[in-house]
């Protein structure tokens, strides 16, 4: 993490602070001694009770959220919520995705507008806001977003609302469009989370993981690198307000290679995977078979670059799940 001068960022409130990304975001801020609050629907064992406040961003009135943030003296908010969250996964309806990814963002912006001080906001978007692109395309500011499916469209709408608020001068805000996340404590709804669960079952029972492996290449970035990007963006927010920055590894890894690398990281034999043919219901409707991020804008705007290689990320994911890391 390479924060530049920009004044204090804390106290920090992390919406979705009990989740996969939110957990690491809290840790990234806490390393510098910043006071961090996790705001989420449900408490989690890894979050101390005095650092948690129950909030459902899809339901809380703007005035109530503003009162909470004001009472806690919050100066920076990180929105790490996502309609495809760890509990509901990709089975949420289109209405629910829009409520979580767009309507709730407007509610958050309304609450921040009620505070008596100017707040910093780091909004975590997704590279799926870009939609399908030809192989070889680097995803970044030069690419016009054209998302496929309700998830990408709803996430793009939320990101655009944040950027519009920044342009209007109501908040210092930056959007981070994040690639596919990997690393310790994965969301069960993620591909890495599915792999981890399947490989743990094999280790316990010897039953092979039955997987549909897409003929696709994705950009995978470790969750701890994402958290460092968030903390850096918060520190630099006044200087980069109104920007959308793509966060990823800059490498398009074939999904089949990822599965093999994870299996090896877990010390499992080739027979641990039994590949299945895809069905009509396979996938999440994101569109496209190629994702590779352009990392130059993150280096230029945030002085950030990924530090954790994919093999290390997968190895530590497995060791953490085994209680050995």
């Amino acid at each position: 993490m390479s924060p530049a001068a920009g004044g204090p960022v804390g106290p920090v409130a992390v919406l979705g602070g009990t989740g996969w990304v939110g957990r690491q975001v809290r840790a990234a801020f806490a390393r510098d001694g910043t006071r961090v609050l996790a705001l989420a629907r449900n408490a989690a064992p890894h979050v101390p009770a005095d650092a948690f406040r129950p909030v459902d961003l899809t339901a809380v009135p703007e005035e109530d959220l503003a009162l909470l943030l004001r009472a806690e003296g919050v100066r920076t908010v990180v929105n790490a919520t996502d309609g495809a969250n760890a509990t509901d996964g990709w089975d949420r309806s289109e209405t629910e995705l829009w409520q979580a990814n767009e309507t709730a963002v407007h509610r958050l912006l309304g609450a921040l507008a009620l505070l008596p001080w100017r707040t910093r906001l780091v909004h975590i978007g997704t590279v799926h806001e870009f939609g399908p692109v030809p192989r070889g395309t680097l995803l970044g500011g030069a690419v016009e977003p054209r998302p496929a499916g309700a998830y990408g469209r709803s996430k793009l709408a939320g990101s655009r609302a944040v950027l519009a608020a920044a342009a209007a001068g109501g908040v210092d805000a930056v959007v981070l469009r994040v690639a596919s996340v990997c690393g310790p404590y994965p969301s069960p709804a993620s591909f890495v989370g599915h792999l981890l669960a399947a490989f743990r079952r094999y280790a316990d029972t010897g039953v092979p993981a039955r997987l549909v492996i897409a003929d696709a290449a994705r950009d995978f970035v470790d969750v701890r690198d994402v958290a460092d990007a968030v903390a850096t963006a918060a520190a630099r927010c006044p200087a980069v307000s109104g920007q959308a920055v793509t966060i990823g590894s800059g490498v398009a890894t074939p999904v089949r290679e990822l599965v093999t690398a994870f299996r090896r990281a877990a010390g499992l034999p080739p027979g641990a995977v039994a590949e299945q043919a895809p069905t009509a219901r396979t996938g999440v409707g994101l569109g496209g078979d190629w994702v590779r991020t352009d990392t130059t804008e993150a280096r230029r705007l945030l002085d950030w670059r990924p530090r954790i290689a994919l093999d290390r990320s997968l190895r530590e994911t497995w060791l953490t799940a085994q209680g050995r890391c």
Side-chain angles (χ1 to χ4, degrees):
M1 181 170 61
S2 309
V9 299
V12 176
V14 182
L15 288 156
T18 59
W20 184 14
V21 175
R23 176 180 190 151
Q24 299 297 340
V25 168
R26 289 189 300 105
F29 282 110
R31 281 198 297 270
D32 294 333
T34 301
R35 179 169 176 261
V36 188
L37 286 173
L39 277 56
R41 287 180 296 177
N42 301 303
H46 57 81
V47 181
D50 62 354
F52 172 78
R53 302 291 183 272
V55 171
D56 181 352
L57 191 56
T58 65
V60 63
E62 293 178 3
E63 296 80 3
D64 291 355
L65 180 57
L67 285 173
L68 170 60
L69 298 175
R70 181 171 182 172
E72 299 290 350
V74 169
R75 293 308 196 269
T76 297
V77 174
V78 176
N79 183 21
T81 63
D82 194 303
N85 62 45
T87 301
D88 305 294
W90 295 100
D91 292 330
R92 305 187 82 180
S93 69
E94 183 168 342
T95 298
E96 290 171 322
L97 286 174
W98 279 94
Q99 183 182 30
N101 291 336
E102 193 255 356
T103 305
V105 174
H106 283 285
R107 182 174 289 112
L108 170 60
L109 292 169
L112 297 183
L114 297 175
L115 295 178
W117 52 74
R118 192 175 183 85
T119 310
R120 299 182 189 186
L121 171 62
V122 180
H123 175 78
I124 301 179
T126 172
V127 292
H128 295 304
E129 294 173 31
F130 289 110
V133 296
R135 282 182 175 262
T137 301
L138 296 181
L139 295 177
V143 177
E144 180 67 24
R146 293 187 177 87
Y151 175 70
R153 290 195 297 269
S154 61
K155 287 293 289 183
L156 177 61
S159 292
R160 283 179 167 167
V162 170
L163 296 175
V171 63
D172 288 326
V174 61
V175 170
L176 302 183
R177 288 185 172 132
V178 177
S180 297
V181 181
C182 57
Y185 307 107
S187 160
S190 70
F191 183 62
V192 172
H194 282 300
L195 284 179
L196 176 60
F199 288 157
R200 292 185 74 179
R201 283 194 299 271
Y202 176 84
D204 292 339
T205 67
V207 176
R210 304 184 66 82
L211 303 173
V212 175
I213 303 177
D215 182 19
R218 302 278 185 244
D219 189 313
F220 293 92
V221 60
D222 189 89
V223 65
R224 293 160 293 185
D225 279 335
V226 174
D228 283 347
V230 169
T232 302
R236 293 173 177 256
C237 200
V240 298
S241 183
Q243 300 281 344
V245 186
T246 307
I247 300 296
S249 68
V251 177
T253 300
V255 173
R256 185 165 278 100
E257 288 186 16
L258 174 82
V259 173
T260 299
F262 199 2
R263 176 184 59 74
R264 289 173 175 167
L268 303 178
V273 175
E275 187 170 352
Q276 288 184 299
T279 68
R281 293 182 57 82
T282 297
V284 295
L286 298 175
D289 59 3
W290 168 271
V291 177
R292 182 183 176 190
T293 59
D294 181 353
T295 60
T296 59
E297 59 187 16
R299 293 198 301 269
R300 176 174 58 85
L301 293 170
L302 304 179
D303 191 24
W304 174 92
R305 66 195 66 209
R307 301 182 184 279
I308 300 175
L310 181 59
D311 284 346
R312 174 188 162 191
S313 178
L314 296 172
R315 182 174 65 255
E316 293 178 353
T317 300
W318 179 257
L319 292 176
T320 300
Q322 302 301 104
R324 293 155 50 197
C325 183

